[in-house]
Amino acid sequence: GANTSEYSDWDGNFRGDIKTFTSKTSANYNPVWTDNPVWILMDVLTNDRYGLGKYIDPDDNFSNIDKYQLFQLAKYCDELVPDGKGGTEPRFSCNVYFQTITQAQTMIADLISAFRGLLVYFDSQITPTINAAKSPIYTFTKGNVIDGTFSYSGSANRFRHNQIAVSWNDPDDGFKQAIEVVEDHNEIARTGKIKRKNITGFGCTSGGQAQRLGRYHLVTEKTEQEVVNFATGINAAILKPGDVIDIQDPDLTDVVASGRVTTSASSTTTIIRTDRDLTSYLNETDTFN
C-alpha cells in the first residue's frame, strides 16, 4: 500500500516475516507478491529450498547482504516511467519461470541483468549496484594516480550497432516470444547499412521495457566509446564497481585544477609549498580553495 513515488522510511523488516509480525491482524503478517527483480534476487539468495539459503542465512539479520542497498535499488526499479502507450509502468519488472535446475551463478547473473545490475562483494556483504545516472563521488588527478599517468583507448566500430532486436514475452499473446526492434535511423542513413544486435530481455513481459532496453544499448554503445586506465593507491579503497568518478587530466584540457601540498618544513601559515611550480598558472588575484 506504499506510494512508491514518494520518499518513505523503512525499518528493515519484510512483509510476511511471521517471526517479526506475530499477530495475524498486522497488515504485514502475510507475504505479498512482487515482480520487482531486486526482491526476486534477494529471494533466490536467501531461500533455503530453491535458492542459496543454505549458505546465506536471512535470520542472521542479513549480515551477508546489504538489504538497505537492495531497498534503494528496488525503489529505482519501481519508479514509474512512460510505457510507450500513453500510460506509465515500473522501470523494471521481472516475470520468469525456471523449469530446470540452473547453476546459481548463471541464475543470479540473469536476474541482475533484468535491472542492469552488477553483483559486488563489498565490505563483507553482497552489495548489488546498478548502471544508472549518478553523481561522481571522487576525482582522480595527476596528483593521486601513480606516475601521474592516464592511458586512454577507444572501442572499435564493430562494437557499435545501429539496430537492436530485443526478445521478450508478450502476455497479450500467451507469453509467446516477441521481438521489439529499436533503431538509430540517423546512423543507418549515414552508413547505408544495418548493424544488428540481438539481445534477450530476461523476464521482460512489457513492450515498453523492451524498448527501453534496446535504447539503452544503442545509447551506451554510441556514447561510451573511451576507456581510461590508471593505477592509484589506498585512497581508492572507498570505491566499488558501479561508482561514478571524475578525471581531471591537464594533458587533455590544458587546465591544471588539482595538485598536492608538500610536507616540506619550509611551508608556513602564509607560505604553501606545492608539488610543482605554479607561477606560470597563477596571477596575483588567484586564491587557493
Side-chain angles (χ1 to χ4, degrees), residues 42 147 151 205 214 217 228 278:
M42 190 200 73
D147 297 328
S151 176
T205 55
H217 278 265
V228 59
L278 300 179

Side-chain angles (χ1 to χ4, degrees), residues 94-162:
C94 182
N95 296 279
V96 63
Y97 177 48
F98 292 104
Q99 302 183 52
T100 58
I101 295 177
T102 307
Q103 289 288 335
Q105 187 173 359
T106 301
M107 179 183 292
I108 291 172
D110 288 339
L111 286 172
I112 286 180
S113 71
F115 59 94
R116 300 201 305 261
L118 177 68
L119 195 65
V120 178
Y121 190 72
F122 183 77
D123 198 19
S124 301
Q125 287 186 315
I126 297 173
T127 309
T129 184
I130 196 169
N131 191 347
K134 307 172 188 174
S135 298
I137 64 173
Y138 197 82
T139 300
F140 286 99
T141 72
K142 282 182 172 291
N144 58 14
V145 300
I146 296 176
D147 297 328
T149 302
F150 295 99
S151 176
Y152 299 91
S153 60
S155 61
N157 285 330
R158 62 189 178 89
F159 294 116
R160 297 195 279 273
H161 303 83
N162 52 32

